[in-house]
Amino acid sequence: MPVPLLDLKRDVVAHRDEYLSAIARVVDSGTFILGPEVEAFEAAFASFLGAKHCVCVNNGTSALYAAYLALGIGPGDEVIVPANTFIATAEAASMTGATPVFVDIDSATHHLDVQDLDRVVTPRTKVVAVVHLFGMAADVAVVKAWADPRGIVVVEDTAQAHGAILADGQKAGTAGAIGCFSFYPTKNLGAFGEGGAAVTDDDALAERLRAIRAHGATTQNRHETFGTNLRMEAFQGALLGVRLLRLAAAAERRRSIAARYRAGLAGIPVALPPDVGARHVFHLFVVTTDRRDALKEHLASRGIGSAIHYPTACPDQPVYASRGIAGTCPNATAAAARILSLPMFAEMTDVEVDEVIDGVRSFFLA
Ligand SMILES: Cc1ncc(COP(=O)(O)O)c(C=O)c1O
């Protein structure tokens, strides 16, 4: 039986009427950019996270870009970024004119290796970006304990971890100065197109973020700061509001799928994601094996989808490797050759999960 890596249509089919009535509300309102629907979602998402402010933008990359700009990052500054992340964490820093500096990852968690921070810090370091990769809340408190005394600001890239709980009980995205979210359709909280948000408890930062997303305007036609057009469309706000209501239940289902994988893959020579309860919302279920490419092929031959997040560590990407930094984060380079994301989405059936387990077991036990 084929099993897709992800199937976005199942949720849409199940809740079609709710989505269509949200769309109709926007059509009837005649307000298509920002406005009451986006404001209502901002309030709901801030309350869900326990954050004071939520500023919605047009995608997750924009959330990071606006966050770095709001913190005053620009040419001459350095932003520390974990070597295994989606390129946007680094790219948004480059867009401000700053330089992303890559820190290696911890091979067990795939999060930034706090032990490696001293190697990469310089007097120009202004920000360290913590990425809650794969949906697992990283240990922000430990990074803050390193960063705070140095006057370095922590930004959380929470694009993959909506609702994940940090070790101290706070939601991921609310412990650093600014938390950045993506609502790309495949994310745990996905829009029907592009979307993103930056959240913060700091009133002044929130005001700057709001200005940056609208051409730097603080009031109409008054531009006090540099900005651009990063505004969210009203359709996305209305639809995200509907999806937010089911986010916690979907995370629970993802954790139960992960538990089923964990039980079914016990004794198989693959490293499984850490078992950390509500710290993980399993945006992705990533296993690690030296035989990754052959396993991927074997699963494909059975019609089972899989993917690699990400096949090349950021410092090894041509756009950054041209700086002569390829290979400077060996754990990330090694992980990129060994990681494989198995099918994971809340609407997956247990039968499908068992099919994937059977596919992986048949590869190793053949
Ligand atoms: C870790 C991470 N950061 C940033 C982004 C960028 O978000 P977007 O695609 O919405 O611009 C993504 C998602 O693609 C991501 O996974």
Side-chain angles (χ1 to χ4, degrees):
M1 181 181 73
V3 184
L5 178 68
L6 176 66
D7 183 354
L8 294 178
K9 275 187 82 172
R10 293 187 198 180
D11 167 78
V12 175
V13 168
H15 303 285
R16 191 170 180 273
D17 291 346
E18 287 171 75
Y19 296 134
L20 289 183
S21 74
I23 290 170
R25 263 197 339 263
V26 175
V27 171
D28 292 343
S29 77
T31 299
F32 301 118
I33 293 167
L34 298 177
E37 293 289 350
V38 171
E39 282 165 25
F41 173 68
E42 287 178 336
F45 195 49
S47 150
F48 169 82
L49 292 173
K52 192 163 174 198
H53 304 281
C54 169
V55 180
C56 280
V57 290
N58 56 350
N59 58 59
T61 308
S62 294
L64 287 159
Y65 177 55
Y68 294 145
L69 281 183
L71 291 165
I73 301 308
D77 296 330
E78 291 179 356
V79 175
I80 295 178
V81 174
N84 185 14
T85 180
F86 182 61
I87 195 84
T89 323
E91 170 191 68
S94 299
M95 283 161 65
T96 70
T99 303
V101 173
F102 296 102
V103 62
D104 208 352
I105 58 160
D106 176 304
S107 304
T109 60
H110 298 273
H111 291 153
L112 72 76
D113 179 4
V114 182
Q115 308 302 324
D116 198 38
L117 286 169
D118 286 333
R119 178 181 67 85
V120 298
V121 70
T122 77
R124 292 178 296 282
T125 307
K126 293 283 161 36
V127 164
V128 52
V130 175
V131 182
H132 302 290
L133 198 69
F134 306 151
M136 178 169 141
D139 200 342
V140 183
V142 173
V143 179
K144 271 177 73 71
W146 177 88
D148 288 350
R150 292 171 171 82
I152 295 169
V153 177
V154 173
V155 168
E156 294 176 74
D157 182 338
T158 322
Q160 301 187 0
H162 316 71
I165 310 283
L166 295 164
D168 63 3
Q170 265 177 274
K171 294 247 170 66
T174 65
I178 304 179
C180 300
F181 291 83
S182 165
F183 305 125
Y184 188 77
T186 60
K187 298 293 194 253
N188 288 28
L189 181 57
F192 287 60
E194 304 272 2
V199 305
T200 183
D201 285 341
D202 184 307
D203 297 346
L205 280 178
E207 204 176 309
R208 254 175 268 159
L209 288 165
R210 286 185 202 286
I212 288 163
R213 84 171 162 188
H215 304 286
T218 39
T219 55
Q220 203 172 10
N221 292 325
R222 183 168 177 84
H223 305 272
E224 292 189 27
T225 173
F226 172 78
T228 182
N229 178 359
L230 307 176
R231 296 176 302 222
M232 175 179 269
E233 294 187 351
F235 285 116
Q236 305 309 339
L239 290 159
L240 284 163
V242 176
R243 285 227 158 123
L244 180 60
L245 302 174
R246 285 190 287 275
L247 179 61
E252 221 26 82
R253 172 65 188 146
R254 284 171 183 268
R255 278 192 284 269
S256 86
I257 292 169
R260 198 172 182 93
Y261 270 142
R262 199 180 295 290
L265 297 176
I268 298 291
V270 291
L272 300 174
D275 189 2
V276 289
R279 265 183 74 192
H280 213 319
V281 292
F282 290 100
H283 172 55
L284 299 168
F285 189 91
V286 177
V287 300
T288 309
T289 163
D290 288 337
R291 300 174 66 198
R292 189 269 311 278
D293 292 340
L295 172 60
K296 189 171 194 325
E297 251 175 59
H298 175 80
L299 293 175
S301 74
R302 291 178 153 227
I304 297 171
S306 65
I308 302 165
H309 299 89
Y310 296 90
T312 306
C314 291
D316 304 338
Q317 286 283 2
V319 64
Y320 290 124
S322 57
R323 279 178 15 208
I325 57 171
T328 50
C329 295
N331 291 346
T333 300
R338 304 179 70 226
I339 48 183
L340 188 67
S341 306
L342 300 181
M344 170 59 81
F345 53 104
E347 298 74 25
M348 243 181 124
T349 64
D350 285 351
V351 173
E352 287 176 316
V353 180
D354 291 346
E355 188 74 18
V356 180
I357 291 169
D358 193 52
V360 176
R361 292 188 73 88
S362 65
F363 174 75
F364 285 102
L365 301 179

